[in-house]
């Protein structure tokens, strides 16, 4: 029975896909110990995590969104903290983890491509993402937008599950959008409008009120640390948001 399962798994398509994923990891991890960029942002993040792990200084916000004064959530710090701990402060450990997350995103992209246009389209999409100069560069960047590669691909996959009327898809979409807003840009400009259009076009797919409430709670939960931070430091976040959106237009 076990031999039959192994043979059914070792199909030409699976072998080719596995080879593409291995190639993607190799390209991203190649000479990372020599070429990993470690500048102000990386040093700031490492110091915050060091103080958390060794001094118990809990963080409620993450990196700042550009020079706006608006802080994103702490999820990026929480995501890479275990790998800084495991590596004894070596930034290569979280960098390799982020690379692995980008390779997983390529696998998700293959699944979406396969679903949309067949196996060949999925493999082509995976190969392009595996060797794309821009995607590779983004995958090797030790910074908070890097997890967006996986969040974005999972979001597209979850939207397809919503179209299939999967009950759990809407809460997952809400959670991913919230995380997207906390990891990197473009979510508020592209993902939220696109998802809203799809949801409104498919009104028959909208689940029961309790599922909608759960979705809203999961979305708001991703901003809960910033809410606590704003309560403790009144006016810091809301003032920065008002300046960025209203005063500076």
């Amino acid at each position: 029975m076990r031999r039959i399962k192994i043979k059914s798994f070792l199909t030409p398509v699976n072998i080719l896909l596995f080879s593409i994923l291995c190639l993607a990891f190799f390209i991203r991890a190649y000479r990372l110990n020599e070429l990993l960029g470690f500048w102000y942002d990386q040093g700031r993040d490492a110091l915050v995590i060091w103080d958390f792990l060794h001094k118990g200084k809990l963080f409620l916000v993450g990196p700042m969104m550009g020079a706006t004064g608006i802080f994103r959530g702490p999820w990026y710090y929480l995501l890479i903290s275990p790998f800084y701990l495991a590596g004894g402060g070596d930034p290569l450990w979280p960098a390799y983890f982020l690379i692995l997350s980008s390779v997983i995103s390529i696998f998700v992209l293959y699944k979406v491509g396969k679903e949309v246009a067949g196996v060949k389209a999925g493999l082509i999409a995976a190969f392009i993402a595996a060797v794309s100069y821009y995607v590779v560069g983004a995958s090797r960047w030790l910074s908070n937008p890097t997890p967006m590669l996986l969040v974005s691909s999972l979001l597209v996959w979850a939207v397809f599950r919503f179209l299939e009327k999967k009950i759990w898809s809407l809460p997952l979409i809400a959670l991913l959008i919230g995380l997207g807003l906390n990891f990197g840009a473009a979510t508020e400009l592209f993902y939220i409008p696109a998802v809203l259009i799809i949801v409104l076009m498919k009104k028959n797919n909208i689940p029961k009120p309790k599922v909608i409430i759960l979705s809203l709670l999961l979305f708001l939960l991703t901003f809960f640390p910033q809410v606590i931070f704003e309560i403790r430091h009144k006016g810091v976040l809301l003032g920065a948001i008002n300046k960025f959106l209203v005063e500076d237009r």
Side-chain angles (χ1 to χ4, degrees), residues 25 29 32-33 36 38 49 53 76 79-101 139 141-142:
F25 184 83
L32 190 67
N33 60 323
L36 176 66
F38 197 87
I49 294 172
L53 294 176
Y76 172 68
L79 186 67
I80 63 174
S81 288
F83 301 94
Y84 263 116
L85 178 62
D90 187 347
L92 283 174
W93 283 65
Y96 281 125
F97 165 72
L98 293 178
I99 284 175
L100 181 60
S101 73
S139 303
W141 190 22
L142 182 58

